[in-house]
């Protein structure tokens, strides 16, 4: 049996092939997540969307995940049913949500469609599709995290997670760069149709992974692979009562609340503060995920070999605060300065995830990882749902600064100083939590400052 285990779990080519396949699937999920992010001005121009409606649409990402606890239930299903079943279901949900969003933008009139629950029908249906898609993509994220831990535990775990994050962020970069081009050359709905096609390819890729994973499970018994009992619901108390786990969950909430919602408005920030063209405004924020592509695997490799996970999270939080303070200050309003700040944010966005996600298996047993990641994602989704909605209302109520002309149409001009100060405060909270996590790790002995490779 020892020979069989080496054949799979010790086969470097097999585990890296599995990683590449699941990362490829997640990449297209991230593409659709931000397909409309760089199109805020175009949505206002062509569909009469207000900044509040744009914020509402982005907040829909958390409707089902947070308020119906579908992320939490998804983690339990993952631990009970395994990565193959859960992964296929989540891919189907992503594809379904994409098609609903496409239908809303392509076939529902922005002016004559009536209202549902006080929202214009087009906006409501687009929100519904985004909410269904989000159930799929967030649960796919926790599934992929468990896949990587399953295949890389005791090996290049942080590097593998860093590569997965980097490839996923490539999907975000592609959305920020290409979706404005696709929308201007075809239609507003074209990026969504293109996303649905990519998700079909991602689903097929995950089916290929399932073949590899089935072989893995056939050759490595559960007892031999992790030495733990099977999942029981009562074991969830091991997560809920763990102080280190909650510090990581809250750190994730604050850090990502200062990054992902910011990226929803980053293109608009570039247009309003730095007076760049809509095309360049989409290109500058793409430096963030391109920076992830290069830096996250590097920092993950450092964590694997040298440790210092909590310290890495502290450094990343400090850089995050610096970035948002610089964006808030009324100086250096040049596009090249904005690009430089985005590169710094890309470094910060590489540092924290490269250490945060691989730290969870040091605190939580393998059999509970699906539920643990799900609960962290659930907490994170509270921010992903509420913060964009809050920023949209802040812009509408406090930040209007006249109008400007874009492609011959009059659109609202915004002052982004107040929103950037709010994002900076999230960074301060993340820094305090990272410092507390390091102190708790020193007492509890989680090993966050120790290398992953034994």
């Amino acid at each position: 049996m020892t020979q069989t285990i080496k054949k799979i779990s010790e086969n470097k080519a097999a585990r890296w092939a599995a990683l590449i396949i699941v990362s490829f699937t997640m990449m297209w999920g991230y593409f659709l997540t931000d397909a409309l992010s760089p199109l805020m001005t175009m949505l206002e121009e062509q569909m009469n969307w207000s900044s509040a409606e744009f914020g509402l649409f982005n907040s829909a990402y958390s409707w089902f995940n947070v308020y119906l606890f579908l992320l939490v239930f998804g983690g339990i299903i993952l631990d009970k049913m395994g990565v193959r079943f859960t992964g296929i279901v989540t891919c189907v949900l992503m594809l379904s949500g994409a098609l609903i969003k496409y239908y809303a933008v392509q076939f529902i009139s922005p002016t004559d469609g009536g209202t549902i629950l006080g929202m214009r029908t087009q906006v409501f249906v687009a929100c519904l599709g985004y909410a269904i898609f989000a159930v799929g993509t967030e649960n796919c994220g926790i599934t992929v995290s468990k896949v990587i831990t399953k295949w890389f535990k005791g090996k290049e775990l942080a590097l593998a997670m860093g590569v997965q994050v980097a490839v996923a962020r490539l999907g975000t970069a592609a959305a920020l760069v290409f979706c404005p081009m696709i929308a201007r050359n075809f239609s507003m709905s074209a990026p969504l149709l293109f996303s649905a096609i990519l998700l079909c390819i991602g689903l097929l890729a995950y089916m290929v992974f399932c073949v590899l994973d089935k072989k893995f499970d056939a050759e490595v018994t559960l007892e031999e692979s992790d030495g733990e009992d099977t999942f029981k619901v009562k074991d969830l108390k091991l997560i809920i009562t763990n102080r280190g786990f909650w510090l990581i969950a809250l750190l994730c909430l604050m850090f990502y609340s200062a990054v992902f919602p910011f990226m929803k408005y980053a293109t608009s920030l570039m247009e309003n503060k730095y007076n760049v063209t809509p095309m360049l405004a989409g290109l500058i924020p793409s430096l963030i995920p391109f920076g992830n592509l290069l830096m996250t695997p590097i920092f993950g490799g450092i964590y694997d070999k040298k440790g210092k996970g909590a310290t890495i999270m502290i450094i990343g939080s400090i850089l995050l605060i610096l970035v948002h303070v610089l964006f808030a200050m009324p100086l250096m309003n040049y596009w090249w300065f904005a690009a430089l700040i985005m590169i710094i944010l890309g470094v910060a966005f590489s540092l924290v995830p490269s250490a945060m996600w691989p730290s969870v298996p040091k605190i939580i047993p393998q059999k509970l990882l699906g539920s643990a990641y799900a609960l962290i994602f659930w907490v994170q989704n509270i921010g992903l749902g509420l913060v964009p909605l809050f920023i949209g209302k802040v812009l509408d109520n406090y930040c209007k600064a006249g109008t400007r002309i874009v492609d011959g149409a009059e659109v609202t001009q915004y002052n982004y100083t107040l929103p950037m100060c709010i994002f900076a405060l999230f960074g301060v909270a993340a820094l305090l939590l990272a410092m507390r996590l390091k102190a708790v790790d020193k007492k509890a002995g989680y090993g966050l400052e120790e290398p992953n490779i034994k």
Side-chain angles (χ1 to χ4, degrees), residues 331-405:
L331 51 78
M332 299 293 286
N333 293 339
Y334 306 109
W335 72 267
W336 59 265
F337 185 68
L340 178 63
I341 301 175
M342 287 294 184
I343 292 172
I344 298 173
L345 179 55
V347 174
F349 198 25
S350 299
L351 281 164
V352 173
S354 69
M356 181 171 60
W357 298 120
S359 293
V360 178
K362 291 186 174 183
I363 297 175
I364 301 299
Q366 171 77 17
K367 65 180 179 180
L368 297 174
L369 272 183
S371 299
Y373 279 122
L375 192 53
I376 293 175
F377 275 50
W378 179 78
V379 172
Q380 171 191 322
N381 269 254
I382 295 175
L384 298 186
L386 296 181
V387 175
L389 181 62
F390 176 61
I391 295 297
K393 290 186 177 297
V394 168
L395 286 170
D396 251 6
N397 295 326
Y398 304 105
C399 302
K400 290 181 178 178
T403 60
R404 57 194 172 92
I405 303 299

Side-chain angles (χ1 to χ4, degrees), residues 270-345:
M270 296 301 106
E271 293 180 32
N272 283 273
K273 182 175 182 179
Y274 298 96
N275 297 314
V276 299
T277 65
M279 194 63 65
L280 182 58
L283 288 173
I284 294 176
S286 71
L287 294 172
I288 301 173
F290 274 126
N292 279 161
L293 183 65
L294 298 173
M295 301 304 296
T296 308
I298 293 176
F299 293 136
I302 292 173
Y303 186 18
D304 280 331
K305 296 176 182 177
K306 304 294 183 181
K308 304 298 180 184
T311 301
I312 290 173
M313 287 184 258
I314 290 174
I315 296 171
S317 299
I318 292 173
L319 290 178
L320 179 67
I321 297 169
L322 173 64
V323 164
H324 289 313
V325 169
L326 288 174
F327 275 132
M329 296 175 67
L331 51 78
M332 299 293 286
N333 293 339
Y334 306 109
W335 72 267
W336 59 265
F337 185 68
L340 178 63
I341 301 175
M342 287 294 184
I343 292 172
I344 298 173
L345 179 55

Side-chain angles (χ1 to χ4, degrees), residues 184-342:
R184 289 186 180 278
N185 290 315
F186 297 97
S187 68
M188 283 295 300
S189 63
L192 301 176
L193 180 60
F194 184 57
S195 299
I197 294 171
L198 295 177
L199 287 171
C200 287
I201 298 172
L203 172 59
L204 294 175
Y206 199 88
M207 290 178 176
V208 173
F209 160 75
C210 289
V211 175
L212 282 177
D213 193 70
K214 187 174 183 180
K215 186 176 181 182
F216 183 105
D217 284 347
E219 298 186 5
V220 182
T221 66
L222 185 61
E223 290 75 19
E224 289 173 321
S225 63
D226 56 33
E228 297 176 353
D229 298 330
T230 56
F231 170 84
K232 299 181 181 66
V233 174
K234 66 179 182 180
D235 292 332
L236 293 176
K237 67 181 180 181
L238 298 175
I239 300 175
I240 298 172
T241 59
N242 190 305
R243 182 169 50 166
F245 167 82
W246 283 111
L247 285 171
I248 288 181
L250 292 174
L251 170 60
C252 179
L253 168 64
M254 295 302 168
F255 184 83
Y256 281 114
S257 291
V259 177
F260 283 128
F262 164 75
M263 291 176 67
K264 304 295 184 184
Y265 292 96
T267 299
S268 177
L269 169 67
M270 296 301 106
E271 293 180 32
N272 283 273
K273 182 175 182 179
Y274 298 96
N275 297 314
V276 299
T277 65
M279 194 63 65
L280 182 58
L283 288 173
I284 294 176
S286 71
L287 294 172
I288 301 173
F290 274 126
N292 279 161
L293 183 65
L294 298 173
M295 301 304 296
T296 308
I298 293 176
F299 293 136
I302 292 173
Y303 186 18
D304 280 331
K305 296 176 182 177
K306 304 294 183 181
K308 304 298 180 184
T311 301
I312 290 173
M313 287 184 258
I314 290 174
I315 296 171
S317 299
I318 292 173
L319 290 178
L320 179 67
I321 297 169
L322 173 64
V323 164
H324 289 313
V325 169
L326 288 174
F327 275 132
M329 296 175 67
L331 51 78
M332 299 293 286
N333 293 339
Y334 306 109
W335 72 267
W336 59 265
F337 185 68
L340 178 63
I341 301 175
M342 287 294 184

